[in-house]
Amino acid sequence: MMRTSSIRSQDDPLSLAIRPPLEESDSDRHVRLQHEAEARRISEQIDEELRFEREKLKKSKSDVKLLLLGQAESGKSTLQKQFQLMYSPASLESERMSWRTVVYFNVVRSIKKILTTLEAWDDIDDGSDSQSTLERQELGDYLPPRASSSATPSIHSSQIGVALSPPSPTSPTSPTASSPIRGSTAISDLRRRLLPLTNTEPQLADRLSGGVSVSGSGKGEVYVRSGWQARTIQKALSVIDADPLVDDVARMLEQSREDIRTLWENQVVRALMTSRKLKLDEWSEFFLNDISRISARNYVPSTDDILHARIQTMGVAEHIFDVDIHGKTVTWHLFDVGGARGQRHSWVPYFDDANAIIFVSPISAFDQYLEEDPRTNRIDDSLQLFTQICSNQLLKKVHLVLFLNKTDILRKKLERGLSVSKYILSYGDRPNEYESVVQYFRAHFLQVHRRNNENRRVLYTHLTNVVDTKATQSIIGNVRDSIFRGYLQSAALV
C-alpha cells in the first residue's frame, strides 16, 4: 500500500523542492541565502501594505464623501473654496499667489472681449470724423444731434428694447455725455496701446492649463487639472519668487491702468452693456471695477479676489478636510467635478459610495445659454441635470442638498429691468420681482425631487450667494450638521 506523505515527512514534495543541493558550494549557498532574504523582505513588505490598506479601508468607512455637482459656472469651485477657507485656511493661504495668474488672466480676457465686441460693431470710421459709427449709434439717445447729414442714424431705445442712460462719472477722467471720447483717447488708440497686454492671453492660458484642451466643452475655455496651483508656480519659477510672464503682465497692467479705466468707463462700452450687446461675466465687472488695486505692482490676491476668480476645472478634484462635529473629528472628502457637458461622464464612478451631494444651480442664469449648446437655456439644463441626479438609482439613499445660487446677481438683473418671461416663457405674467422669481424656480426644482423620491428623502434647499463668506459659511455649518445626522442614521449609529 502506498502511504501519503506526512507534513513532517522528509519525502514532502515542498521540502524536497526547497532543499538545497547536496553538493552546494559556499558561494552558491551565499547567493541562495541572499535571494531567500530578499524574498522574505518582499513578502513582509506586501504583508505590511495589505495591513495598511485594511486599516485605511476600515478608517475610510467612517469618512464622509461629499460631491459638488452642477453645470459649469454654477459656483461649485467657489463653494469648494469656502469649505477650504472654513476647514483648511492654511492650504488656501499657501496657494494665494498662484491665484494672481488667474486674476490677471480674467482681467486680460475681459479687456480682449470688450475690444473684440467693439471691433465687431464697426467702431472705427475710415473718414476724418474722430467719432466712430458705433459711438453715434449707441450714444444717439443722449448725445446732441450731429450736424453731418452723412452720419449713421441713431438706434433709439425703442428699437433695442432697453433705454440707454449715460453712466455716472466715477473719476475725473470719466467721459461725459457732452464730451465723447475723441482723438488720442479714441477706441482705436486704446486698442493699439492695449494690444501688448491682450496678446499675453494665450501665454497665461497655457501657464494655467499646461496646454490641456477639452473638446466639446465650451468655446475657447481654459481648463485646469487638480493641483494646478502648485504646478503653475513650479513651472513658472526659474528663480525663487520670480515669474517672468506674470511679472511682465503685472508691469503692463500698471502701465495701462489709465487706459483700462478709460475703456471700462467709456460711454459706448456702458451703452453696449446696458443694451446687452456686450455681456460680461460677474467676475469681469468685479475685477475691472477695482483695476487700480489689481494693477498695483505689489498686488497680492485678496480672499474676495480668489472667490471671484474664474477658472474651469477639468475632471475631478478631491479636497480632504478634518471637520469637527460636536467634539468628533470626521474626515470629509469633497469632490469638485467639472460641470461642462463633455465632462459629466466622469461623475458616475463617484456615485456608488457617496454619502451626500450638494447640487448647485445658478438661478441668475435665466437669460443665458450653454456655451456647448446655444439652443439650451441654462435653467433648463440645470433642471434636466437635477432630474438625472434625483432619478439615479445609485443615489437614491444619498443625502441631497440644493443650492439655488447667485441670488445677488439675480437681484441686480431684475433691478435693471431684465424680464424673466422674455427668456422663460412659462413664467408668464407673474411679477418680475425677486421673491416671485425665486419661488417660481424653487418650485420647479422641488417638483423634480417629488417626482423622483420614492424613498421619501428630504431635500434641503438654500438660497445662496457663495461669494458672500459670512452667509455661506453659516449655511455650510447647517449643511454639515444635516449631512452628519443623515450619515449617522444611514450607518445605524443612532
Side-chain angles (χ1 to χ4, degrees), residues 51-213:
R51 184 188 64 79
F52 176 77
E53 288 298 324
R54 282 194 297 270
E55 291 179 356
K56 183 179 178 181
L57 180 62
K58 182 179 179 180
K59 180 179 180 298
S60 68
K61 288 182 178 179
S62 63
D63 292 355
V64 172
K65 297 176 180 63
L66 172 62
L67 307 184
L68 297 184
L69 303 181
Q71 63 186 197
E73 299 186 53
S74 60
K76 299 186 304 297
S77 294
T78 306
L79 180 57
Q80 173 267 310
K81 295 172 199 172
Q82 292 285 17
F83 270 91
Q84 192 175 359
L85 187 63
M86 191 168 182
Y87 295 115
S88 183
S91 66
L92 189 68
E93 188 62 38
S94 67
E95 63 188 41
R96 183 175 296 276
M97 290 308 295
S98 67
W99 286 98
R100 188 168 67 142
T101 309
V102 182
V103 172
Y104 286 168
F105 174 72
N106 286 172
V107 170
V108 171
R109 172 163 280 201
S110 300
I111 295 169
K112 190 171 183 177
K113 183 173 183 179
I114 293 171
L115 291 172
T116 300
T117 302
L118 291 173
E119 186 172 20
W121 277 84
D122 188 26
D123 61 307
I124 299 176
D125 278 345
D126 293 330
S128 59
D129 187 356
S130 63
Q131 188 181 25
S132 70
T133 301
L134 177 61
E135 286 177 306
R136 292 198 299 274
Q137 290 177 333
E138 291 302 321
L139 303 179
D141 275 0
Y142 53 84
L143 282 181
R146 296 180 62 83
S148 172
S149 59
S150 61
T152 304
S154 300
I155 297 180
H156 295 286
S157 60
S158 59
Q159 293 174 276
I160 61 176
V162 181
L164 302 180
S165 57
S168 300
T170 56
S171 72
T173 61
S174 298
T176 65
S178 60
S179 59
I181 294 178
R182 296 174 180 270
S184 62
T185 57
I187 290 172
S188 57
D189 291 329
L190 288 174
R191 179 185 293 110
R192 176 179 51 79
R193 291 201 296 270
L194 291 171
L195 184 62
L197 178 64
T198 57
N199 281 345
T200 64
E201 184 201 16
Q203 296 170 274
L204 289 168
D206 186 69
R207 172 62 49 79
L208 291 167
S209 69
V212 173
S213 61

Side-chain angles (χ1 to χ4, degrees), residues 64-69 76 80 316-320 332-337 350 353-354:
V64 172
K65 297 176 180 63
L66 172 62
L67 307 184
L68 297 184
L69 303 181
K76 299 186 304 297
Q80 173 267 310
V316 180
E318 180 182 6
H319 304 269
I320 301 176
W332 284 40
H333 301 258
L334 187 150
F335 297 93
D336 177 15
V337 301
Y350 296 85
D353 61 348

